[in-house]
Amino acid sequence: MGAFLLTAETPIFTDAPNQANAAYLQTLLSPPTGYPFPIEEMDPEGKGIHLFLDAIEEDYGEEGYRIEVNPGKAQIYANTPVGVFYGIQTLRQLLPVEIESRELAPDATWEIPYITLMDYPRFPWRGYMLDEARHFQGKETVKDILDQMAKLKLNRFHWHLTDDQGWRIEIKQYPQLTEIGSVRPGTVVGNPFLSRKHDAQPHAGFYTQDEIREIINYAQERHIMVIPEIELPGHASAALAAYPELGCTGQPVEVATRFGIFTDIYCAGKESTYTFLENVLNEVAALFPAPYLHIGGDEAPKKNWKQCPDCQQKIQDLGLKDEDALQVWLTNWAAALLAEAGKTIIFWSDAYHPEITRSAIVHFWKGNQKKIFQAVRDGRKMINSTYLRTYLDHAYKLLPLDETYAFDPLPAELAGPPEKNMLGMEGLLWTEWVPNRARLDYQTFPRLVALAESGWTMTKKQHFNLFLARLRAFLPRLAFHHIEAAPIKDTLLPWHKRLLKKLTLLQPKQGTASSLEENDHD
Ligand code: ACM
Ligand code: ZN
């Protein structure tokens, strides 16, 4: 054993492709250490931190990396700068927790233990979804989340920007979407299912396109892709409040003050709806560089379509069987439109139908599992956000941490060759009952830490009691960023806690330097 000591003289040596990584590492290390970490041109013999590309094994792909820390050198290398970035995240975890401080931490000893490890992710899609329609959180919160996502090696930020309770993205061609659709007069109080009363506290907020670009850049610096979700045809009350003529009845609609499923959805019969959706989707597609766009599609009741002469005419003209077939047709229409803009659509699994264009990615939460798994075996791509495991908004009493940790994005039915069609997982934070930052942190952490392992770590490396030991070492790192995670004891059921006590007695003590979710293959 031994350790590499960071000092006031330690430079960061980097090759050209890792300049941005070097600058990022410098901004992590300098404030707590007070050392400058000058960035220097690569010198293989130099004493210091080394960031460079070097073909490691092909298997380790785009995101894998290797770390070698020995006397004189802490080397991180990978096939790509993304891999080096993840190596930096692990290096960060090998340092004392005070490395997370944004202020000088004079008492810490900045040692990195000598280590050699190789690490790469199990799945390419490792995401977090934030619903900002139900409660708008704002860009500082989003940036904080992106910082923590990077630390957890999560690479997809799925941004739920439109719903019944608010439209949160500026659309230049339709200013009323935000002028009217981003404001609701209050939020339900009393029984969430029955009450028609609200608190009369207006709730508002949206992102300008400039702010969205700022967040996309911030995410890109952390190798996180931002995927917007624009819901259609349902969960559209906020849009219909702004433009009631887009609904079947044309009657006024209010930005919703309560939660649930609403019957006012976009009319799929009128040409004007298609013009609107085409303009909105194209504007959104141009704003976000991601090659994906999530179009939602969940929970779209067909009551209005059944009674609407325009929708019925459309069904006849297209020779469709029924209203569900019309949603399939609309989904394929959106898929074709967005394909021209270079985007692949993602849709929620309760809207799954075999006739949905095969390139469209199914985002599983619930639905006809048998049919959907068959589709994945036949080549359709899937993201797994199983309702009973990945919903971050569930109470810990209903979904304790060990059950989240037990989540395997790859169901047994899809083992073998279909595995490649399972892109990975997302943890979803719906915010009906998440009115503020404290609640957001409590619901998201530590659950997201458990979910991040389901995306990155090989199943055989996952043991809940060892995870808890790593988690205990990790939580202080969140505290440095003023994130108040739920205390571990709140996240477990009573009998789990008792079992845990026993396990803790049996378990070897873990050092704080243990890296959170690496797959050490050496
Ligand atoms: C969903 O939870 N409605 C996707
Ligand atoms: Zn209609």
Side-chain angles (χ1 to χ4, degrees), residues 148-178:
Q148 300 315 312
M149 285 177 67
K151 205 188 285 176
L152 296 170
K153 304 189 178 85
L154 294 169
N155 63 1
R156 300 284 185 269
F157 178 58
H158 167 183
W159 212 357
H160 186 82
L161 287 166
T162 72
D163 215 302
D164 300 299
Q165 297 79 10
W167 183 284
R168 308 286 177 219
I169 171 173
E170 177 190 26
I171 302 293
K172 304 265 191 207
Q173 297 168 84
Y174 298 95
Q176 280 163 224
L177 284 172
T178 44

Side-chain angles (χ1 to χ4, degrees), residues 247-359:
C248 288
T249 65
Q251 292 299 305
V253 173
E254 295 192 328
V255 181
T257 56
R258 58 195 175 84
F259 303 114
I261 299 175
F262 294 80
T263 52
D264 284 304
I265 71 175
Y266 293 113
C267 176
K270 295 189 188 80
E271 245 349 273
S272 52
T273 311
Y274 291 92
T275 306
F276 168 84
L277 290 175
E278 178 171 347
N279 289 336
V280 170
L281 291 173
N282 278 331
E283 203 172 310
V284 173
L287 181 59
F288 288 84
Y292 306 100
L293 202 151
H294 204 307
I295 61 152
D298 59 321
E299 300 176 324
K302 304 302 180 315
K303 181 165 172 271
N304 288 7
W305 286 9
K306 283 191 166 80
Q307 292 160 5
C308 170
D310 296 312
C311 285
Q312 291 305 313
Q313 187 64 46
K314 187 88 176 175
I315 288 173
Q316 260 198 10
D317 291 350
L318 295 169
L320 299 174
K321 179 164 139 269
D322 58 13
E323 292 75 22
D324 287 337
L326 183 56
Q327 184 174 346
V328 171
W329 188 87
L330 172 64
T331 303
N332 286 340
W333 172 86
L337 174 85
L338 287 163
E340 282 182 43
K343 314 284 176 178
T344 298
I345 65 157
I346 306 171
F347 65 97
W348 292 115
S349 56
D350 51 323
Y352 175 75
H353 188 282
E355 281 169 26
I356 291 177
T357 189
R358 202 167 85 152
S359 60

